[in-house]
Amino acid sequence: MDPAGLWVTVLIPAHNEAENITDTLASLKGQEQPPDQIIVIADDCTDGTVEIARRCGVEIFITRDNRHKKAGALNQVLDRLLPSAGPNDAIMVMDADSALDPGFIRHGVAYLSDGRYAAVGGTFTGQDGGGMVGMLQRNEYVRYARDVRRLQGKALVLTGTATIFRATTLQEVAAARRERRLPGDPRVYDVCVLTEDNELTLAILHLGFEIICPPGCTLTTEVMPTWRELSRQRLRWKRGALENLIEYGWTSVTRPYWGRQLLTLISIIAIVAYLISLGYCLAFTSGLHFRPIWISVTAIFMIERVVTVRRRGAVQMAIAATIVVEFLFDGFLQIVQVRAYWEAAWRNERKW
């Protein structure tokens, strides 16, 4: 299929995004292959989001009685679009705080057009700002993008920052839910989960479709400006991903995801053992004893941190080489992960 033959509709769910929506829409209009239709989904907006989007010349859809946040807002629009969609239609979903690089849609549509892939996701870097916590997120995102490149676009999740789907893929997901071949109500997005993009990825993979995050599909997205907001965001991500796996169980698709959960648990145990060893040496011996095993672990950690952040420049490589800053950030994320395990196990109230 000729990439130019695909009709691309972009859906942007937005709740009070007046500060970001102009840049988001500008990035769409500046695409090398602009989308054919842009719809801003205004969900309970009390700021100037609707007025700004209207001045930018895009369509506005105002949700009605939506109690399910982003997933519910998207479902309301998809319920209208998908019945008349065909094989030449593509649906792009992107966050209102993201900005696409110019070649995103052109590259994404090219991959969809060859018929192999059901969806094309993006890899992202962090926008400026946020001080130290913002800097660490930008380093984290550049490492994630590096991992995806090394795996030749094979990613575990189609992130909500920006993904282009075949319309027929989304139709198939909704049909599979109706037929109970997939969990969730008979609509595209499962409104009962914390991480709707992760769950939709699992749904698509369980239907036997292929996905990719190619190098040409890149964008920038907002970083959390405070530790509190970052903790809340990552708790939702980590708990949501775990609960999605529990819902789908042990399958050929979920095995790699369960493997990553196991590796995360092992890394938590290793960090705890490392800290206990240091504490024991300081409390009950004459001082620190530099045992070869821990020196090796420290050296490996330092080298990995430096090498994986080199795209961010010499300053970030130097900061990574000190180990301390990166170690504390990893420790912070591990604490959030432990909390996610705890809340999932005890079924604590979910918070978006």
Side-chain angles (χ1 to χ4, degrees), residues 223-251:
V223 297
M224 295 297 101
T226 67
W227 291 104
R228 181 185 296 275
E229 291 176 87
L230 179 61
S231 175
R232 185 162 52 245
Q233 178 199 61
R234 297 312 170 85
L235 179 61
R236 180 172 62 85
W237 287 3
K238 293 175 183 295
R239 179 177 173 180
L242 181 60
E243 291 180 343
N244 292 157
L245 290 181
I246 293 171
E247 184 175 37
Y248 277 87
W250 179 267
T251 69

Side-chain angles (χ1 to χ4, degrees), residues 19 40 49 57 60 70 115 147 149 174 178 185 190 213 227 243 247 297-298 326 332 334:
E19 292 184 7
V40 171
T49 299
I60 311 295
K70 178 181 175 181
D147 289 343
R149 287 194 305 273
R178 281 195 299 270
D185 292 334
D190 187 344
C213 293
W227 291 104
E243 291 180 343
E247 184 175 37
V297 169
T298 303
E326 295 277 355
F332 168 82
Q334 300 293 13

Side-chain angles (χ1 to χ4, degrees), residues 123-145:
T123 53
F124 48 87
T125 56
Q127 296 173 0
D128 293 337
M132 175 67 75
V133 66
M135 178 199 76
L136 291 169
Q137 289 170 83
R138 287 187 286 275
N139 288 352
E140 181 187 22
Y141 293 165
V142 80
R143 291 186 174 107
Y144 170 77

Side-chain angles (χ1 to χ4, degrees), residues 32-284:
E32 295 167 3
Q33 180 177 336
D36 299 284
Q37 184 178 23
I38 302 172
I39 303 175
V40 171
I41 307 172
D43 185 37
D44 194 27
C45 292
T46 57
D47 64 356
T49 299
V50 172
E51 290 75 16
I52 293 171
R54 187 171 286 121
R55 287 200 300 270
C56 290
V58 301
E59 295 181 42
I60 311 295
F61 179 92
I62 299 177
T63 61
R64 296 179 181 276
D65 302 319
N66 177 36
R67 296 181 291 106
H68 301 294
K69 298 187 180 291
K70 178 181 175 181
L74 285 166
N75 279 339
Q76 288 192 13
V77 177
L78 290 170
D79 286 348
R80 297 188 176 200
L81 292 179
L82 289 182
S84 60
N88 291 332
D89 288 297
I91 305 291
M92 180 174 182
V93 177
M94 69 176 294
D95 285 343
D97 57 8
S98 297
L100 305 181
D101 291 336
F104 191 107
I105 292 179
R106 178 173 64 83
H107 285 101
V109 166
Y111 275 90
L112 285 184
S113 298
D114 73 2
R116 178 179 176 183
Y117 299 103
V120 178
T123 53
F124 48 87
T125 56
Q127 296 173 0
D128 293 337
M132 175 67 75
V133 66
M135 178 199 76
L136 291 169
Q137 289 170 83
R138 287 187 286 275
N139 288 352
E140 181 187 22
Y141 293 165
V142 80
R143 291 186 174 107
Y144 170 77
R146 178 180 182 271
D147 289 343
V148 173
R149 287 194 305 273
R150 293 183 68 197
L151 293 171
Q152 298 182 320
K154 184 178 180 180
L156 291 176
V157 62
L158 297 165
T159 71
T161 54
T163 297
I164 310 176
F165 302 91
R166 284 186 171 279
T168 52
T169 299
L170 300 181
Q171 290 169 340
E172 183 66 25
V173 169
R177 295 198 200 279
R178 281 195 299 270
E179 297 163 4
R180 300 299 179 187
R181 290 184 285 130
L182 291 174
D185 292 334
R187 303 173 85 179
V188 172
Y189 284 95
D190 187 344
V191 299
C192 296
V193 299
L194 287 170
T195 46
E196 69 285 330
D197 49 357
N198 186 76
E199 193 280 335
L200 182 57
T201 302
L202 292 177
I204 290 171
L205 293 176
H206 275 89
L207 292 176
F209 296 131
E210 291 189 54
I211 63 174
I212 191 170
C213 293
C217 292
T218 55
L219 67 147
T220 58
T221 192
E222 189 178 42
V223 297
M224 295 297 101
T226 67
W227 291 104
R228 181 185 296 275
E229 291 176 87
L230 179 61
S231 175
R232 185 162 52 245
Q233 178 199 61
R234 297 312 170 85
L235 179 61
R236 180 172 62 85
W237 287 3
K238 293 175 183 295
R239 179 177 173 180
L242 181 60
E243 291 180 343
N244 292 157
L245 290 181
I246 293 171
E247 184 175 37
Y248 277 87
W250 179 267
T251 69
S252 59
V253 170
T254 60
R255 277 199 295 268
Y257 296 82
W258 282 115
R260 288 176 70 89
Q261 290 289 336
L262 178 60
L263 289 175
T264 299
L265 182 60
I266 291 172
S267 69
I268 291 172
I269 293 171
I271 288 176
V272 171
Y274 185 74
L275 294 175
I276 290 175
S277 175
L278 288 176
Y280 179 84
C281 289
L282 291 172
F284 299 106

